[in-house]
């Protein structure tokens, strides 16, 4: 089943985000070890600028396939961005793709 992981950045977390980017990316690359598969993932920009350094971030979005909500939640909980405090809120919820038709 597909799950959406939506995370909202904590205030003033840009330095923590930069410092934990490499471990966060390794966590994403190793999702298959947790039985998952990423459909899409990336940062959510704070404004409409093609330059991420100018735009800044307000959070992250990931849609991935997991065997269960529990496995999706456990994988999310182990993300270095989560454990380091980059995010103030995280939502892990089931997702049903409608368009385009799967």
């Amino acid at each position: 089943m597909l799950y959406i992981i939506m995370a909202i950045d904590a205030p003033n977390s840009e330095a923590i985000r930069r410092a934990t980017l490499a471990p966060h990316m390794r966590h994403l690359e190793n999702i298959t070890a947790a039985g998952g598969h990423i459909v899409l993932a990336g940062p959510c920009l704070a404004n409409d600028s093609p330059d991420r350094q100018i735009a800044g971030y307000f959070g992250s979005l990931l849609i991935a396939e997991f065997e269960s909500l529990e496995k999706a939640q456990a994988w999310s909980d182990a993300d270095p961005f989560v454990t380091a405090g980059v995010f103030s809120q995280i939502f892990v919820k089931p997702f049903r793709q409608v368009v385009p038709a799967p």
Side-chain angles (χ1 to χ4, degrees):
M1 175 173 245
L2 293 176
Y3 295 90
I4 186 169
I5 301 173
M6 180 68 209
I8 307 300
D9 282 13
N12 305 311
S13 62
E14 181 64 31
I16 302 168
R17 182 184 269 273
R18 279 193 307 273
T20 55
L21 180 60
H24 167 72
M25 294 305 294
R26 282 192 298 276
H27 184 70
L28 293 175
E29 292 167 2
N30 292 328
I31 193 170
T32 54
H37 168 77
I38 294 175
V39 175
L40 65 86
C44 299
L45 303 179
N47 65 55
D48 192 17
S49 173
D51 184 340
R52 287 192 271 177
Q53 302 311 317
I54 294 170
Y57 304 103
F58 81 85
S60 295
L61 173 70
L62 179 137
I63 298 176
E65 187 172 357
F66 283 95
E67 293 176 14
S68 67
L69 177 59
E70 292 77 20
K71 288 192 180 215
Q73 185 70 60
W75 182 83
S76 175
D77 291 346
D79 185 333
F81 273 7
V82 173
T83 60
V86 172
F87 303 131
S88 63
Q89 292 181 295
I90 304 162
F91 304 93
V92 180
K93 298 289 184 184
F95 178 78
R96 183 171 57 93
Q97 181 178 342
V98 176
V99 178

